[in-house]
Amino acid sequence: MSVLSSYLRIAPLAAAMTLLGACASAPSAAGKPSASVNALYAQLDQASKGYEVALQQSREGNQQASQLTLTQSLDQLKAAAAHCGTTPGCDSQRFFSVFDRLLRLKDGDFGGDQDLDSDVDPSQAALPTGKTGAASLPEAQRSVTLLHGQKLSELIAMNGPVKAALEMWLTQWRPALMDAYVNYQYMRFEMWPQYESADLPEALLFGIMAKESGGKVHAVSRSGAAGPLQFMYATGTRFGLTSDDGFDLRYDPAESARANAEYINEQLGQFNNNLELTIAAYNGGEGRMRRLVGDDTSVSFYDPRVYNQLSQETRDYVPSVLAAAWLFLHPDSYNLKFPKVDGVPGKIILQRMTSLSELTVCLGSSYGMSDGWFRTLRNLNPRLDPQVEQPAGSQLQVPKPLEKVYASRCVNGPWPILANDLHTAVIPTVAYTPAAPAPVAKAERRYKVYKVRRGDSLASVVRKLQCSSVQEVADINGLKHHSISVGQTLKLPDCR
């Protein structure tokens, strides 16, 4: 890795932005920026241009000059940002806008031979699937795959809802984001090729999966949506997610990703590549979105004519998906560090009868998996009931590093014995004979009397009761043909 790669990251700008928290926003007395504010803005513009020059120098192979130019521009930007906080009338939003713009400039502007992020695990540099193209590039390069010729980052508007969702993913939803990332990395060899072949960006796949299921293959929603990408039964059937020998293909990671990619491309075609409307259709239904949008596919998702007619779930869903995708693209720029995961697939041949639950106990917390391997084993073997023991000779999908762990821990020795003892434990059953229900005393019906007045009919009298029927009152009083006469006394049910 060249020295330049340690500088060609925009994370230092994120740190600089934190200095603007107390930035003054009141305008100057004259209503125009003061000379000192204009000087800061000039430094901002100069730093931004310097960053662009550094990118160009890097593309031309002039690494030494690029490093010098980039260092100077970043230092200048940080200094200007720091002074903004103590300068009356300085608009902090202007600095944040530059930060956002430079993030977008960064994506895909370097050759595939450059390491853009030193946090990338070398084991993820290429998948052992024989794939070429995007699948063989380093993580930082794959993540900027184009969406039908456009950079994904250019399609994500950094507006209020997306910023609010970014904060949620970085705070309250952070554990869920990390779990989703780990789960995805172990299923990536099955899911990402489906998106790659459909010419869709990996970050979008991750964003949808993170919001839908967190990477839990067997997730089922209250409305009946199922699988890692949460297909409803009818929609899943339309895209080939039917039953395979009794197994619901919505739970298959590869099939679910294929169907999702087909759906996204179908809706991108319907909405003229409007990504926000397409994501809204995935959550709220394509029929509803088409009715709201009509022929104007250029309309913004946030246009009141569309946005105000959607459910709160869909209004939250779209920016949440985009924010998760954005963090997948730029974790370092938001003080976020995804864990390093060796997602290379492997397999084991069972040497003794065992279940996924027993394997989980036996594998323990190997390779630092503090939460254990149960979720990963289930995700990679979705057709298996985790409680059912599989016969010796069965083949299971596991992460490659677990092949050695299985051989050393789970074939012989104390751990498989302990796991089986726990698994076969018998829970006492208690015979339960429900007590006979106590007899319910029949409430005695109360009655009152009513003297028929001029203009009354049996029907009008019963209507006043609101608790009986004409036939019941006729039967109580022995009336024939429902006839009554003025002055006649009727016995009526008491409706209290």
Side-chain angles (χ1 to χ4, degrees), residues 383-397:
R383 294 173 183 256
L384 301 184
D385 184 326
Q387 303 303 321
V388 174
E389 292 187 316
Q390 305 301 318
S394 300
Q395 178 176 298
L396 300 183
Q397 289 273 10

Side-chain angles (χ1 to χ4, degrees), residues 199-264:
D199 192 29
L200 292 172
E202 183 174 23
L204 178 59
L205 169 62
F206 175 76
I208 294 174
M209 190 207 69
K211 183 59 178 173
E212 289 286 2
S213 71
K216 298 179 179 68
V217 161
H218 296 88
V220 179
S221 74
R222 288 176 295 179
S223 61
L229 295 167
Q230 294 288 278
F231 272 94
M232 295 295 289
Y233 177 79
T235 307
T237 300
R238 182 158 70 91
F239 288 92
L241 299 181
T242 54
S243 176
D244 180 19
D245 195 22
F247 173 69
D248 189 336
L249 287 175
R250 291 181 295 171
Y251 298 116
D252 185 282
E255 284 297 301
S256 183
R258 173 198 58 76
N260 176 269
E262 290 182 10
Y263 182 96
I264 293 297

Side-chain angles (χ1 to χ4, degrees), residues 291-303:
R291 288 192 297 272
L292 290 176
V293 171
D295 295 331
D296 185 11
T297 55
S298 64
V299 67
S300 169
F301 168 76
Y302 299 100
D303 188 303

